[in-house]
């Protein structure tokens, strides 16, 4: 079993930056890949960025490429999402996810474990 807890959300002005974190605990082999998703009001869940726990390979959705950076500190079992040049349309609940697969994907079905999310509001 894996538990994920996000933190660092908040309100920021357009053009600003924010870094959110996800602390993971539990069975290590169940989190070979990790990712960030978001869900805006009235919209479906969108995959943003993923990272392989071993090796650190990353992949980004076109909507955030060049503005968001995913990273990890394996010693702290923590994944980060640095968000720069934020736009009002980035307003959403941001959730982290963990999966057992050894590839980096942005589909909901690629991940078994989910955090509750943290709210990011850009005005």
């Amino acid at each position: 079993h894996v538990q994920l807890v996000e933190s660092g959300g908040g309100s920021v002005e357009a053009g600003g930056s924010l870094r959110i974190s996800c602390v993971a605990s539990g069975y290590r082999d169940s989190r070979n890949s990790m990712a960030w998703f978001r869900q805006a009001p009235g919209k479906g869940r969108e995959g943003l960025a993923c990272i392989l726990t071993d090796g650190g390979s990353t992949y980004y959705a076109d909507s955030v490429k060049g503005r968001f950076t995913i990273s990890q500190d394996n010693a702290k079992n923590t994944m980060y999402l640095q968000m720069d040049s934020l736009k009002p349309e980035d307003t959403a609940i941001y959730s982290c996810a963990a999966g057992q697969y050894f590839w980096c994907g942005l589909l909901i079905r690629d991940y078994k474990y989910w955090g509750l999310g943290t709210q990011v509001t850009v005005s």
Side-chain angles (χ1 to χ4, degrees):
H1 186 68
V2 173
Q3 290 185 321
L4 304 171
V5 179
E6 303 93 339
S7 64
S11 297
V12 63
E13 292 185 352
S17 298
L18 201 63
R19 188 178 79 160
I20 55 179
S21 303
C22 172
V23 178
S25 61
Y27 195 45
R28 169 62 180 83
D29 284 352
S30 294
R31 42 189 175 95
N32 294 310
S33 55
M34 295 188 68
W36 285 101
F37 287 74
R38 70 184 177 189
Q39 186 164 16
K43 296 187 176 181
R45 190 170 288 184
E46 176 189 13
L48 304 175
C50 57
I51 188 166
L52 295 182
T53 304
D54 289 332
S57 295
T58 59
Y59 180 75
Y60 294 90
D62 288 343
S63 59
V64 302
K65 194 177 298 181
R67 297 191 301 125
F68 291 10
T69 303
I70 190 171
S71 63
Q72 62 188 357
D73 184 338
N74 287 340
K76 296 181 179 180
N77 292 321
T78 302
M79 178 177 66
Y80 305 97
L81 186 68
Q82 174 68 40
M83 302 182 288
D84 299 318
S85 302
L86 283 162
K87 307 173 183 179
E89 50 263 44
D90 292 318
T91 295
I93 296 175
Y94 286 69
S95 302
C96 62
Q100 65 182 25
Y101 301 123
F102 289 98
W103 65 76
C104 197
L106 295 179
L107 299 177
I108 294 173
R109 66 173 182 245
D110 291 332
Y111 300 93
K112 182 176 181 180
Y113 300 101
W114 295 82
L116 295 179
T118 185
Q119 176 71 47
V120 172
T121 303
V122 185
S123 58

